[in-house]
């Protein structure tokens, strides 16, 4: 009898349930992050294309490698990654040359550590010659480490604005709904 492409079931078979592979991020769904694409690097590290809730200016994407330190939220150094396709191109290019081994998935930090991540991001955005409007997309690179919702980040920003108005201010948005946060410039000596 010649081999066939299909076999017939003669007895009921149990459904195959694949084992989850947390080392490649398949079952990992960090809070506040929407993973849209995954790429596999040369040595097994996973490169993610992800986003968060849509902001005032629409959806922006970020790319991060779970094996090395590669992270970006811009393409061509100046422009945000505004399409999933553009994010995929960046992630694929990185995966094609990345030789990093897979690492353990980042664990969800406690609230104090997450607050420190927010404070560090604000400090890195602060300038000496002008005030800076805070956009939630500024936190895209930190989303995998934060593992917090957009609402949590906004509440933390409001708390910081209440506690340290000399650094961060909050006011209702001029257009639309929500709150606009501004990092005040460093004081002149």
């Amino acid at each position: 009898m010649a081999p066939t492409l299909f076999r017939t079931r003669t007895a009921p078979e149990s459904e195959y349930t694949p084992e989850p592979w947390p080392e490649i991020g398949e079952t990992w769904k960090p809070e506040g992050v929407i993973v849209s694409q995954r790429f596999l690097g040369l040595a097994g590290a996973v490169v993610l294309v992800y986003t968060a809730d849509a902001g005032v200016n629409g959806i922006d994407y970020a790319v991060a490698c779970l094996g090395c330190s590669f992270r970006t939220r811009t393409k061509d150094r100046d422009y945000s990654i505004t399409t999933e396709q553009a994010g995929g191109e960046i992630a694929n290019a990185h995966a094609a040359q990345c030789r990093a081994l897979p690492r353990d998935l980042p664990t969800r930090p406690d609230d104090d550590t997450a607050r420190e991540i927010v404070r560090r991001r604000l400090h890195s955005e602060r300038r000496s010659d002008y005030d800076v409007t805070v956009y939630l997309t500024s936190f895209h690179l930190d989303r995998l480490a934060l593992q917090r919702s957009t609402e949590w980040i906004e509440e933390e920003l409001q708390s910081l604005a209440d506690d340290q108005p000399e650094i961060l201010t909050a006011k209702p948005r001029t257009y639309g709904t929500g709150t606009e946060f501004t990092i005040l410039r460093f004081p002149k000596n």
Side-chain angles (χ1 to χ4, degrees), residues 5-83:
L5 292 174
F6 303 100
R7 68 182 174 99
T8 59
R9 290 187 186 188
T10 55
E13 295 178 15
S14 63
E15 288 295 317
Y16 173 71
T17 305
E19 291 293 316
W21 291 9
E23 66 271 15
I24 64 166
E26 287 298 326
T27 60
W28 184 54
K29 294 186 180 183
E31 182 182 356
V33 177
I34 302 164
V35 176
S36 63
Q37 293 182 37
R38 293 178 177 92
F39 293 84
L40 195 58
L42 295 174
V46 175
V47 183
L48 302 176
V49 177
Y50 64 93
T51 188
D53 299 334
V56 175
N57 297 326
I59 296 176
D60 283 347
Y61 291 86
V63 176
C65 181
L66 296 180
C68 70
S69 60
F70 178 77
R71 299 181 312 165
T72 187
R73 65 184 178 102
T74 60
K75 62 179 184 176
D76 304 326
R77 298 183 129 183
D78 295 327
Y79 301 102
S80 296
I81 303 170
T82 57
T83 66

Side-chain angles (χ1 to χ4, degrees), residues 130-183:
Y130 58 91
D131 297 341
V132 178
T133 301
V134 178
Y135 297 102
L136 289 173
T137 55
S138 300
F139 293 94
H140 270 18
L141 292 180
D142 301 312
R143 288 290 189 142
L144 295 176
L146 273 173
Q147 298 185 41
R148 296 296 194 278
S149 67
T150 298
E151 293 78 23
W152 186 91
I153 295 170
E154 289 174 330
E155 288 171 9
E156 193 57 35
L157 291 173
Q158 184 62 57
S159 177
L160 281 168
D162 293 342
D163 295 344
Q164 298 178 346
E166 69 280 2
I167 295 174
L168 186 69
T169 62
K171 66 178 184 177
R173 287 198 188 285
T174 307
Y175 300 102
T177 61
T179 305
E180 181 176 298
F181 297 97
T182 303
I183 306 168

